[in-house]
Amino acid sequence: MLSQTPKLRSLSSKLLMLTIAWLLLAMTSIGYTLVLSWKLEGGAAAINDAGSLRMRSYHAALLVSENASREAIQQEEQAFSDTLARLKKGDPARPLFLPDNAAVRQQAEEIEQHWRGDILPQLRRAELQSARPERTASPDVSSFVDRIDRLVKLIEEDNARNTTLLRFFQMALIAMAIVGSFTMMFLLFLLVIRPLDTLGEAITRLRNGELGARVEVSGNDEFALLSSGFNQMADHLQELYATLEQKVESKTRSVEEKNRHLTALYGTTSFLHESHELEAMCDGFISRLITLTGADAGSVRLVDVKRGRLELIAQHGLPEEMLEDDHCAPLDGCHCGEAVPQPFAVIRRFDRMQQQEEKHCQRAGFKEISVFHIRHNQSNVGIFTLYFRELTPLSPQDQFLLETLGSHLGLAIENQRLAARDRQFAVSEERNLMAQGLHDSIAQSLSFLNLQVQMLEAALGSGETEQAQENLGFIRTGVQECYEDVRELLLNFRTRINKEDFNDAVHTLLSRFEQQALVATQLTMHGNGLPLDPQQQLQVIFILQEALSNVRKHAQAEHVSIDIRNEADFVMTIRDDGCGFDQQRFEARKARHVGLSIMQERAARIHGRIAIRPLPGSGTEVCLTLPQTERQAA
């Protein structure tokens, strides 16, 4: 930490004091020259007014000699008196004043006394005689004018002295400007430029690799602080350079360790996101961790909370006796189970543990185990354990990495469980739809056949041959319908489509319908909207199958038109020219139409809407709409 420079010793203080001193001296000189200029201007005005006194003296004598009017003489007297009074009093506004000189003041007093005691009385007598016809002798003003001339001369001499002083001070100002400029240049060179050059040379040497470059610290000003700071910086750089190789090696090791961790994290998470069975996934996981940490063995166990056990899923390197021993299965059976409720990983070094009953891992020759949790959303899924035959302490970074990988494994296991539940749910849903389809088709037909068989038995028992023949015809027709229903269901169950052959699947379905029902179809497909995803395509095909099945069973139609419009919304419209239905009866019995319920459920799976309405005249229209918000790009 650099000490602060005392204020009076700092470079800025020195330059400020020198500037103030030079400014005060210059301002004093300039002020004095202004005073001298003011005095010269006032003296010049005084010379001018004093000269006017001389003129007015002669003019007054002339007026007397010419017997001028009394008013003219009085006017001249008054003008002379005013000029004399103004000369003595001065007028700063002009400026006008007599020099501050005893001889000048004395001469001005003599002129005033002579004016009042000699000249003015003569003029007064001349005023009294101005009315007489004879010519009046003019007063003698020559001696009075001499006094005025002497006053002018004294003022001029004073002005001459002031002019000399003014020139002196002007020359002094020029000299001060020259000396001050050279002084400032010298001080700038001495106090600023030379220290800057010295510091710049040292910086250049340091930049060129001369780490021993230093600056001599002299004085206690700002440049002394800069020099001291430069020397400290150079010392620090030299120290850094001396330990640079060691620090680079340390940073390299740190970067390599981080890269190793990132590689392990990326490789393990990539492996966990691939499709694997649970055992294969856990086996690959623990084998990677053994390679990463240098462990001699490892195992993955999942927690069964209800049974209070740990189930071994995968292991590498464990001896046979440990696999056969069941001590690790209970949660309180060994160190692994004891670690389950702990919030963090558990490290066990057997050489530091108190004397107690040896666990099976200790008896197998392992000196240290590390138990890490497999968690998902803060819940324990299981644990994985690393076994070491030699003491191998794991760094905090390694422990954090292993805990992170355990969380990824927990997520992967939970995803597998969710996927299995989703598959079970999908199978359950599909079985439900199959049951509904069987109920709507085959079950009803079998119920009808059972009734006809009972009627046939009754007719045969009573010997009614015609009734028996009629019942046999109904049974034959019912069996044929059951056969066709079973065949249709089998074909539906075998349907497999993808987004590339959706159009082909529709054409195949219509072709099969024409062969079975002997009903003509017309297909129109247009639009260039987003393709349907596989789930949407499958449900659309099933809805089309169910609609055509209803046409075959109930509509008694001769023609069916299918319009598929794939634009912003996906709209499929199926129209037939059959017998149609009564809208009111349909709404009243809607819940009992299993086929229609199946179509509604399949449409709901893809967030679509089904609308069924009778056409004017005859026929039925089924319209499936999949909104734009439910579409997705392939």
Side-chain angles (χ1 to χ4, degrees):
M1 181 71 181
L2 297 178
S3 60
Q4 295 184 348
T5 304
K7 293 183 177 180
L8 295 179
R9 295 184 181 182
S10 65
L11 176 61
S12 57
S13 299
K14 293 177 182 178
L15 294 176
L16 181 62
M17 294 299 292
L18 287 172
T19 303
I20 291 174
W22 188 88
L23 182 62
L24 289 175
L25 183 60
M27 292 302 294
T28 301
S29 301
I30 293 172
Y32 199 68
T33 58
L34 291 175
V35 171
L36 290 176
S37 300
W38 186 64
K39 286 183 178 181
L40 287 173
E41 190 175 354
I47 291 173
N48 184 55
D49 279 15
S52 68
L53 291 178
R54 182 169 51 195
M55 179 194 69
R56 293 185 183 281
S57 298
Y58 284 122
H59 189 252
L62 179 61
L63 291 176
V64 171
S65 65
E66 293 179 351
N67 288 331
S69 65
R70 183 178 181 182
E71 290 77 9
I73 296 174
Q74 287 179 349
Q75 185 177 3
E76 190 64 32
E77 290 174 1
Q78 186 63 39
F80 188 94
S81 298
D82 292 343
T83 303
L84 183 59
R86 185 170 60 250
L87 189 61
K88 289 185 64 179
K89 184 179 179 181
D91 184 5
R94 287 181 59 179
L96 182 148
F97 51 83
L98 291 175
D100 190 13
N101 189 304
V104 173
R105 294 293 180 183
Q106 183 179 358
Q107 187 64 28
E109 290 293 333
E110 290 181 0
I111 292 173
E112 185 177 12
Q113 291 175 4
H114 190 69
W115 164 257
R116 296 185 181 279
D118 188 11
I119 302 300
L120 191 56
Q122 294 182 37
L123 295 176
R124 297 285 172 80
R125 288 194 294 272
E127 293 175 10
L128 296 175
Q129 296 175 359
S130 60
R132 298 177 183 176
E134 65 271 13
R135 190 177 184 85
T136 303
S138 62
D140 184 13
V141 295
S142 57
S143 61
F144 183 69
V145 170
D146 289 341
R147 288 184 173 85
I148 293 174
D149 289 340
R150 179 170 174 76
L151 176 62
V152 171
K153 185 177 180 182
L154 289 173
I155 295 173
E156 289 176 346
E157 290 175 354
D158 189 85
N159 276 6
R161 287 193 296 272
N162 287 335
T163 303
T164 302
L165 283 174
L166 179 62
R167 289 174 180 171
F168 172 76
F169 278 104
Q170 288 175 342
M171 296 300 295
L173 283 174
I174 294 173
M176 284 174 58
I178 296 173
V179 173
S181 298
F182 280 102
T183 302
M184 290 300 294
M185 286 189 292
F186 176 74
L187 290 177
L188 284 174
F189 174 78
L190 184 66
L191 300 177
V192 178
I193 297 175
R194 189 169 67 179
L196 280 177
D197 287 342
T198 303
L199 190 60
E201 291 175 359
I203 292 174
T204 302
R205 291 165 57 196
L206 187 65
R207 183 189 62 193
N208 293 334
E210 189 178 341
L211 298 180
R214 298 295 184 272
V215 179
E216 181 181 355
V217 181
S218 60
N220 198 19
D221 55 9
E222 288 84 351
F223 280 106
L225 289 176
L226 285 175
S227 300
S228 179
F230 172 82
N231 291 339
Q232 292 180 11
M233 179 188 70
D235 292 338
H236 186 59
L237 286 176
Q238 195 169 19
E239 180 183 356
L240 287 177
Y241 185 79
T243 60
L244 181 61
E245 185 176 352
Q246 179 182 356
K247 291 182 178 180
V248 168
E249 183 178 354
S250 174
K251 290 294 182 182
T252 302
R253 286 196 302 269
S254 175
V255 170
E256 289 177 350
E257 183 71 12
K258 291 179 179 178
N259 286 337
R260 185 174 67 87
H261 286 176
L262 288 175
T263 302
L265 180 61
Y266 176 76
T268 306
T269 53
S270 298
F271 170 76
L272 293 177
H273 282 84
E274 296 173 359
S275 178
H276 300 285
E277 294 295 331
L278 179 61
E279 291 77 5
M281 180 174 66
C282 294
D283 185 84
F285 175 81
I286 197 64
S287 63
R288 281 169 169 77
L289 294 194
I290 290 175
T291 303
L292 176 66
T293 59
D296 297 289
S299 65
V300 177
R301 292 179 170 87
L302 298 186
V303 177
D304 188 343
V305 179
K306 293 182 179 179
R307 298 169 58 207
R309 294 175 63 84
L310 291 171
E311 298 296 336
L312 181 64
I313 303 299
Q315 64 83 25
H316 266 277
L318 291 180
E320 196 66 29
E321 59 270 17
M322 286 185 64
L323 298 177
E324 296 175 354
D325 197 347
D326 200 29
H327 289 156
C328 248
L331 286 177
D332 56 354
C334 69
H335 300 301
C336 298
E338 295 171 358
V340 172
Q342 301 300 321
F344 304 107
V346 175
I347 312 296
R348 290 283 187 264
R349 286 185 55 176
F350 300 133
D351 61 336
R352 294 182 180 179
M353 298 179 64
Q354 298 178 355
Q355 294 296 327
Q356 57 182 356
E357 181 183 357
E358 288 186 344
K359 300 294 184 182
H360 60 293
C361 50
Q362 188 175 2
R363 291 194 299 270
F366 296 109
K367 295 183 178 180
E368 181 180 3
I369 64 170
S370 299
V371 185
F372 296 89
H373 296 87
I374 303 172
R375 287 195 174 107
H376 175 69
N377 289 338
Q378 304 302 319
S379 62
N380 285 322
V381 178
I383 59 170
F384 64 90
T385 309
L386 299 174
Y387 303 84
F388 299 90
R389 296 191 181 277
E390 299 295 335
L391 296 179
T392 309
L394 297 174
S395 66
Q397 293 80 7
D398 288 334
Q399 294 183 31
F400 178 76
L401 174 64
L402 293 172
E403 289 174 355
T404 303
L405 292 175
S407 299
H408 282 282
L409 178 59
L411 177 61
I413 293 174
E414 195 64 24
N415 286 339
Q416 278 201 350
R417 291 174 176 176
L418 290 175
R421 284 197 290 268
D422 287 343
R423 288 193 296 270
Q424 292 176 358
F425 180 72
V427 170
S428 175
E429 276 194 324
E430 196 60 38
R431 286 178 177 176
N432 182 47
L433 291 175
M434 289 169 59
Q436 291 177 352
L438 291 173
H439 176 272
D440 191 38
S441 57
I442 298 175
Q444 293 183 11
S445 298
L446 291 177
S447 177
F448 172 75
L449 290 175
N450 183 41
L451 178 62
Q452 293 299 322
V453 168
Q454 293 176 9
M455 293 176 65
L456 176 62
E457 288 179 350
L460 291 174
S462 60
E464 298 178 2
T465 308
E466 281 188 22
Q467 182 66 38
Q469 291 294 332
E470 183 181 356
N471 292 336
L472 283 174
F474 286 146
I475 291 173
R476 187 181 303 108
T477 303
V479 170
Q480 182 62 31
E481 288 182 356
C482 282
Y483 172 74
E484 291 176 354
D485 287 341
V486 169
R487 185 179 178 185
E488 182 177 355
L489 287 173
L490 290 175
L491 290 174
N492 291 347
F493 296 153
R494 292 173 181 174
T495 300
R496 295 290 184 270
I497 62 172
N498 54 48
K499 61 185 178 182
E500 285 79 14
D501 56 14
F502 174 72
N503 295 348
D504 294 339
V506 173
H507 283 94
T508 302
L509 180 61
L510 295 181
S511 177
R512 187 171 68 237
F513 171 76
E514 289 180 344
Q515 293 176 2
Q516 291 177 349
L518 301 178
V519 177
T521 62
Q522 180 182 353
L523 174 64
T524 304
M525 303 181 72
H526 51 86
N528 192 27
L530 293 173
L532 301 176
D533 64 33
Q535 175 66 12
Q536 292 169 343
Q537 293 178 9
L538 184 62
Q539 298 305 329
V540 169
I541 289 294
F542 281 155
I543 291 171
L544 178 58
Q545 287 176 344
E546 189 64 35
L548 293 176
S549 178
N550 288 334
V551 170
R552 179 179 62 82
K553 294 175 183 178
H554 311 296
Q556 300 175 11
E558 296 181 358
H559 184 269
V560 179
S561 65
I562 299 94
D563 180 69
I564 298 177
R565 180 162 43 90
N566 184 16
E567 295 176 349
D569 296 340
F570 179 88
V571 180
M572 181 175 68
T573 306
I574 306 160
R575 298 184 182 92
D576 66 70
D577 58 356
C579 59
F581 62 91
D582 185 358
Q583 185 72 33
Q584 293 181 352
R585 292 183 61 190
F586 172 76
E587 293 295 335
R589 303 178 61 185
K590 187 175 181 179
R592 288 180 287 176
H593 288 279
V594 181
L596 300 181
S597 300
I598 292 175
M599 286 195 291
Q600 295 284 3
E601 290 183 14
R602 291 194 181 277
R605 284 188 178 185
I606 56 176
H607 306 284
R609 301 188 302 271
I610 285 284
I612 303 173
R613 64 184 183 88
L615 295 175
S618 63
T620 304
E621 178 183 271
V622 178
C623 182
L624 167 68
T625 303
L626 182 61
Q628 180 182 5
T629 54
E630 303 300 332
R631 310 291 303 277
Q632 68 177 23

